[in-house]
Amino acid sequence: MLRNPYEVLGIKEGASEEEIKKAYRELVKKYHPDQYRDNPLAKLAEEKLREINEAYDYLMKNKSWSGGNSSSNNSQGYNSQSNDSYFNQVRININNGNIRTAEEMLNHSGKRTAEWFYLKGVVYLRKGWYNEAINHMQTAVNMDPGNYEYRNTLNSMINSNNAYRGQAAGRGYSREQDFCNLCQCLICTDCCCECMGSDFLTCC
């Protein structure tokens, strides 16, 4: 069961959106896996980071911040929640393999947020358009550098790409290179799906 999300992030209840995001960014930096390489506390840090992400996601999906003009805040909360719900539907379509529907939904969305670029990158990856996918993932990370999901997916894609390029380097056979590129796209797609709670290659 999720603990009090405000307690997890170390902020008071009713904190503003900016306060929530600031606390989240600081905690992500503190417990990021890069800080715990070859450290016996790595597993605990990983669990703590998971809890932090869950708390942040909960607060961002249930926005009800106080202060200021109440009607203005209610309007902002409704718009934000509608936007979250919209992108959640995009995720569901991606996980169900409805890539065309997901892409159409993104194309009709008026907001080009970090979440939009991330999901667009996932769509491109599922279509096998690797360069477009990684460019959109990078944009999402640049817009929201503290988001662990975006960074983790981008790093997985880059690492898979580097590994397969290294294996194919110097072989000189275009057919073999094409096969490696295909494997690379499949593995990257699987990594991305797993980050979203789904699976593309059931054998992995």
Side-chain angles (χ1 to χ4, degrees):
M1 188 178 208
L2 180 66
R3 287 170 51 204
N4 184 322
Y6 292 100
E7 181 182 331
V8 172
L9 297 180
I11 53 179
K12 62 182 180 181
E13 293 196 21
S16 67
E17 179 177 5
E18 187 56 38
E19 288 173 327
I20 292 172
K21 289 184 176 180
K22 181 180 178 181
Y24 173 71
R25 286 193 295 266
E26 291 175 351
L27 288 171
V28 166
K29 289 179 183 178
K30 181 178 179 179
Y31 293 101
H32 193 274
D34 290 344
Q35 305 287 342
Y36 289 87
R37 288 181 180 174
D38 302 321
N39 190 311
L41 298 177
K43 189 65 178 178
L44 289 175
E46 182 182 343
E47 293 175 359
K48 180 66 176 177
L49 189 59
R50 186 180 298 112
E51 185 180 37
I52 291 166
N53 281 311
E54 288 176 356
Y56 177 76
D57 288 342
Y58 177 84
L59 290 177
M60 298 307 290
K61 289 176 182 176
N62 296 276
K63 296 179 180 178
S64 57
W65 298 293
S66 59
N69 182 281
S70 60
S71 61
S72 174
N73 284 328
N74 288 337
S75 174
Q76 290 176 359
Y78 174 77
N79 290 334
S80 299
Q81 199 152 14
S82 297
N83 197 48
D84 287 340
S85 176
Y86 191 81
F87 286 144
N88 282 338
Q89 287 298 316
V90 173
R91 285 175 178 264
I92 290 171
N93 277 298
I94 291 174
N95 289 337
N96 290 337
N98 302 322
I99 305 304
R100 183 174 179 178
T101 301
E103 185 170 23
E104 288 176 355
M105 289 182 68
L106 289 171
N107 290 341
H108 285 91
S109 173
K111 293 190 175 182
R112 298 297 188 262
T113 62
E115 177 83 351
W116 185 92
F117 279 98
Y118 172 76
L119 293 174
K120 189 74 169 181
V122 175
V123 167
Y124 279 137
L125 190 59
R126 293 291 290 270
K127 292 172 67 174
W129 298 5
Y130 183 78
N131 289 335
E132 289 82 356
I134 204 166
N135 286 338
H136 279 70
M137 289 290 181
Q138 185 65 67
T139 300
V141 170
N142 291 342
M143 292 177 69
D144 190 0
N147 189 295
Y148 180 75
E149 180 185 24
Y150 303 166
R151 290 182 60 185
N152 189 48
T153 303
L154 178 63
N155 289 338
S156 295
M157 291 173 64
I158 292 174
N159 291 337
S160 296
N161 181 45
N162 291 339
Y164 278 91
R165 280 187 176 179
Q167 291 178 10
R171 293 180 179 176
Y173 294 102
S174 60
R175 184 172 298 176
E176 187 172 358
Q177 183 81 23
D178 290 341
F179 179 74
C180 286
N181 287 337
L182 174 61
C183 289
Q184 164 196 320
C185 286
L186 290 173
I187 290 178
C188 285
T189 301
D190 186 56
C191 289
C192 199
C193 287
E194 289 177 353
C195 286
M196 295 179 64
S198 183
D199 200 11
F200 184 71
L201 301 175
T202 56
C203 61
C204 297

